Amino acid sequence: MKIHLKGVEKKYGNVQAVKPIDLTIEDRFVTILGQSGCGKTTLLKMLAGLTEPTAGEIYFDDTQIFSQSQKVNVKPNRREIAMVFQDFGLWPHMTVFDNVAFGLRGKVSKSERTEIVHDALKKVKLEQKAKMKPGELSGGQQQRVALARAIAVNPKLILFDEALSALDAILREEMREEILTIVQSIGSKAIFVTHDQTEAMAMSDSIIVMNSGEVVQTGTPEEIYHSPNNSFVANFIGKTNWLEEQERMIRPEHVHLYPQANTTTRSAVVRKCMYEGDRYLIFVETNGLLWKFYDHHPHMQGERIKLYIEENTIHSLQKQEA
């Protein structure tokens, strides 16, 4: 499914939650990334039909599902989508089986429904929990039930709204892998909303970065990381060292303690050292700026060192914007 937005925006009174957007979404797994309040969930809900845009048009493939000017607004249950919410959205009085079967009521026979639900629960490894209530499950298991409910209706598009934010770090990593595997196996497209850069970088075929209601950059994770459009994207995605000319930056992994090919040198003083498990993150002051780089050994505060930076990895925001 190809999704096309033409001039889509959302206003709440005088507040512009989402500024006019022209965007085409074609990749299998796409993440909308941004800080809280940037408009990413509002954009997702407009795609789902849960929030009506103030203006613009939305197309799923060649089918117009919304147009303010032509008074078209296809209902959510006719958009062939499913949604997985941050709070799971499960019915506490229903069994796991009935929660997963909920979206199939009136669409398939009882025997077909049973087969589809068991298949969905098998995909999320919960076939043994079918008779339990959501309250008897862990957070990770509840998230799997929500995912099973989404895939049971065989959607063309699954929308995830901060779907992993309620889980602890280990469960989040496990669920990232499971979601990717399941989405790939059923052939659906997925749009995943998050404020977590690690999730976005690890899961996405492409990323849509939003700030203050605007789409500020789209691209693959590699493009977003190595060639940010502006200072917001550079600072929001990963760690950044700014050169004296604020339009130029370099990532910490391209700063070394030993000469490399095509490197220049600069003196620095160590200000702080943080252990990250497999390496240390070293904070240094150089030419009045605070920089960061990685090393496998700690450094003492106040230590004077020489840094070698790879010239060809310095990214110029000014040149790209020009």
Side-chain angles (χ1 to χ4, degrees), residues 227-293:
S227 302
N229 277 350
N230 54 44
S231 59
F232 170 80
V233 178
N235 286 322
F236 189 58
I237 308 294
K239 297 177 175 64
T240 305
N241 296 322
W242 292 99
L243 280 76
E244 287 72 16
E245 311 85 353
Q246 283 296 301
E247 301 86 4
R248 301 172 69 207
M249 50 79 71
I250 186 169
R251 296 294 189 186
E253 61 268 25
H254 299 303
V255 178
H256 308 283
L257 290 172
Y258 304 99
Q260 309 282 321
N262 301 315
T263 55
T264 58
T265 62
R266 55 197 298 157
S267 299
V269 179
V270 175
R271 295 304 182 201
K272 187 168 56 175
C273 181
M274 294 177 61
Y275 184 52
E276 295 192 336
D278 60 337
R279 60 187 179 181
Y280 292 86
L281 177 62
I282 316 298
F283 294 78
V284 299
E285 184 178 339
T286 175
N287 292 1
L289 300 169
L290 188 65
W291 275 28
K292 298 171 282 288
F293 72 95

Side-chain angles (χ1 to χ4, degrees), residues 28 155-156 182-189:
R28 171 64 57 83
K156 289 185 177 180
I182 290 170
V183 168
Q184 290 168 357
S185 70
I186 64 176
S188 292
K189 180 187 289 291

